[in-house]
């Protein structure tokens, strides 16, 4: 109680939470959910806060910080293994576990901060893979029906960095995630050119699990995609904008000026949000507003430094998106979730 959201978000921004509970014991969930619903209403959920911009004024409703831990393994057909993981478990620790146990499927998500319970929210992914690729089911609390239910992937509306959980925030709290992995010391085929180049192998190669995760970590570090524990770039949420979908005409115009484009698993052609920012004049290390900078390694990661507020950070996102829109007619949408009401922000999710 009386805790500051800044202590639970990687941007270290956010005022007080009126009521914040850290949930650690899965067996206690029935009592907790009942008491929360009766006394406080529907809660917002926090994982490690690595994809959240929390308001300076804080959050007036209940907040549950998911800190449950644990992995249960069960054999599945065709030499596979189902892992059921508590929502508060760290994704990085889960990946270390799978590599040590010779379980293939999560290796390309190495280096992404956060909890496994948050990964389905934006269908967290990297290097051509996303969490929905290995998902078997989710155990969720549905605050509308007040029941704990199991959801299959096809019920979750997964897409590129999105899901039904993102579209209807707060309706479901994810309690457990079940993933199906392959027993193998070999990674899934490399589908991402940058990584293939870093490994010095052709696309489609299946490196050893440990080789694949090591290459991912090195590549992420070089590109400024890991979360430093201290230093000037430590306060961040990674990329601040999603790669925008392009109309055929936008794609053509972007290609004509040498723009970076790629097709995502959903078949949609997207522009690179980082390239667009650089194209309109932003560059790594640039000062954007008091306490808001582009990270030292990439324009698309905005970092918070001395003197920043959530309001300034949000206004900077708006300013950047409006600039890109004015020059290219392409709309950028912020990636992090907004928690609470950010002063002056009425339209962050749909920058005009
Ligand atoms: C350096 C850096 C690199 C990153 N790289 C990537 C990347 O490569 N790919 C990528 O996709 N993302 C990336 N991210 C963003 C982020 O790490 C992921 O989205 C991650 O999955 C968020 O986990 P979290 O526990 O921190 O979630 P939080 O930030 O705590 O929460 C994110 C959202 O999920 C909701 N939520 C959290 N837990 C639950 C739950 N149990 N039930 C219901 N709702 C919940 C929250 O309410 C919020 O809306 C990066 C971030 C950083 C800082």
């Amino acid at each position: 109680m009386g805790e500051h959201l800044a202590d639970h978000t990687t941007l270290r921004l956010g005022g007080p939470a009126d009521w914040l509970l850290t949930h650690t014991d899965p067996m206690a969930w029935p009592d907790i959910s009942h008491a929360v619903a009766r006394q406080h209403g529907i809660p917002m959920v926090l994982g490690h806060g690595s994809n959240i911009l929390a308001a300076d004024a804080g959050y007036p409703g209940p907040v549950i910080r998911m800190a449950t831990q644990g992995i249960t393994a069960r054999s599945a057909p065709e030499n596979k293994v189902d892992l059921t993981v508590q929502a508060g478990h760290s994704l990085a620790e889960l990946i270390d576990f799978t590599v040590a146990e010779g379980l293939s499927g999560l290796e390309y998500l190495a280096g992404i901060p956060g909890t496994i319970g948050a990964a389905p929210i934006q269908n967290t992914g990297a290097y051509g893979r996303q969490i929905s690729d290995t998902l078997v089911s989710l155990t969720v609390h549905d605050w509308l029906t007040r029941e704990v239910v199991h959801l299959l992937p096809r019920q979750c509306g997964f897409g590129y960095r999105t899901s039904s959980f993102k579209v209807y925030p707060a309706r479901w709290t994810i309690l457990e995630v079940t993933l199906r992995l392959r027993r193998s010391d070999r990674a899934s085929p490399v589908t991402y050119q940058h990584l293939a180049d870093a490994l010095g192998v052709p696309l489609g190669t299946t490196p050893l699990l440990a080789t694949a995760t090591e290459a991912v970590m090195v590549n992420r570090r070089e590109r400024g995609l890991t979360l430093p524990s201290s230093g000037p770039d430590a306060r961040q949420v990674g990329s601040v904008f999603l790669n925008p979908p392009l109309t055929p005409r936008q794609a053509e115009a972007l290609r004509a000026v040498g723009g970076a484009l790629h097709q995502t698993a959903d078949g949609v052609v997207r522009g690179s949000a980082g390239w667009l920012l650089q194209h309109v004049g932003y560059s790594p290390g640039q000062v954007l507003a008091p306490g808001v900078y582009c990270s030292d390694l990439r324009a698309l990661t905005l970092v918070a430094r001395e003197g920043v507020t959530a309001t300034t950070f949000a206004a900077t996102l708006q300013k950047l998106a409006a600039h890109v829109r004015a020059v290219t007619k392409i709309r950028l949408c912020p990636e992090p979730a907004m928690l609470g009401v950010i002063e002056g922000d009425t339209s962050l999710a749909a920058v005009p």
Side-chain angles (χ1 to χ4, degrees):
M1 313 256 178
E3 291 195 55
H4 271 70
L5 294 167
D7 294 332
H8 301 295
T9 56
T10 54
L11 274 172
R12 290 181 232 145
L13 290 171
D18 271 9
W19 189 93
L20 187 145
L21 174 110
T22 297
H23 174 47
T24 54
D25 177 7
M27 302 302 283
W29 182 255
D31 291 341
I32 288 175
S33 57
H34 189 69
V36 170
R38 207 182 54 234
Q39 292 168 25
H40 306 280
I42 296 178
M44 286 301 297
V45 182
L46 271 182
H48 289 169
S50 66
N51 211 14
I52 283 184
L53 173 57
D56 300 315
Y59 187 68
V63 178
I64 293 180
R65 192 168 71 87
M66 198 53 77
T68 49
Q69 306 288 314
I71 304 172
T72 313
R74 214 174 40 250
S75 285
E78 298 172 4
N79 206 24
K80 300 206 171 137
V81 174
D82 285 353
L83 296 184
T84 296
V85 191
Q86 294 300 318
H89 208 98
S90 133
L91 177 62
E93 284 174 21
L94 171 62
I95 294 171
D96 287 348
F97 172 87
T98 61
V99 172
E101 293 294 318
L103 298 173
S104 172
L106 291 179
E107 50 281 357
Y108 297 118
L109 307 190
I112 302 180
T115 56
I116 185 67
I121 306 301
Q122 74 155 10
N123 198 11
T124 288
Y127 298 97
R129 303 287 161 162
Q130 47 204 352
I131 199 68
S132 60
D133 295 340
T134 53
L135 199 67
V136 172
S137 69
L138 294 174
T139 307
V140 304
H141 185 97
D142 183 341
W143 293 95
L144 201 63
T145 60
R146 299 194 180 187
E147 285 175 335
V148 171
V149 293
H150 299 284
L151 296 179
L152 299 173
R154 63 179 157 76
Q155 298 173 294
C156 300
F158 287 122
Y160 164 77
R161 302 295 175 268
T162 192
S163 69
S164 306
F165 311 107
K166 196 161 177 178
V167 177
Y168 305 104
R171 169 157 177 192
W172 295 278
T173 293
I174 295 176
L175 302 173
E176 285 176 353
V177 175
T178 299
L179 306 162
R180 180 159 295 179
L181 304 176
R182 213 164 28 91
R183 277 189 213 278
S184 171
D185 61 358
R186 292 273 161 188
S188 320
V190 179
T191 59
Y192 199 81
Q193 192 63 54
H194 269 315
L195 196 61
D197 294 346
L199 283 159
V201 297
L203 289 174
T205 306
T206 57
L208 288 170
L209 282 179
T211 310
T213 48
E214 182 54 25
V216 166
M217 290 306 294
V218 169
N219 191 260
R220 289 186 74 101
R221 266 184 229 113
E222 282 170 7
R223 296 167 62 208
L225 285 167
T226 51
L227 183 62
S229 55
S230 60
D233 287 352
R235 296 171 64 183
Q236 54 154 298
V237 282
S239 304
V240 288
F241 294 112
L242 298 167
N243 289 331
L246 302 177
T247 63
R249 187 182 283 188
Q250 286 171 329
E252 202 181 312
L254 215 57
R255 267 192 210 103
V257 289
L261 296 87
H262 67 283
Q263 196 167 7
T264 38
D266 52 8
V268 175
V269 174
R270 293 172 193 275
S272 153
W275 185 89
L276 286 165
L277 287 178
Q278 301 228 37
H279 178 62
V280 303
Y282 299 103
S283 52
Q286 186 173 341
V287 189
L288 301 168
V292 188
Y293 294 65
C294 291
S295 86
D296 283 341
L297 287 170
R298 59 198 298 259
L300 184 56
T301 295
L302 264 52
V303 297
R305 293 187 188 157
E306 193 70 24
V308 69
T309 61
T311 304
T312 316
F313 198 91
T316 309
L317 293 188
Q318 263 182 327
K319 187 179 91 176
L320 265 51
H323 190 171
V324 168
R325 187 90 195 267
V327 177
T328 66
K329 311 268 185 295
I330 295 170
R331 175 186 294 232
L332 290 182
C333 283
E335 180 176 318
M338 309 290 155
L339 182 57
V341 178
I342 297 180
E343 214 181 302
D345 157 40
T346 51
S347 60
L348 261 183
V351 174

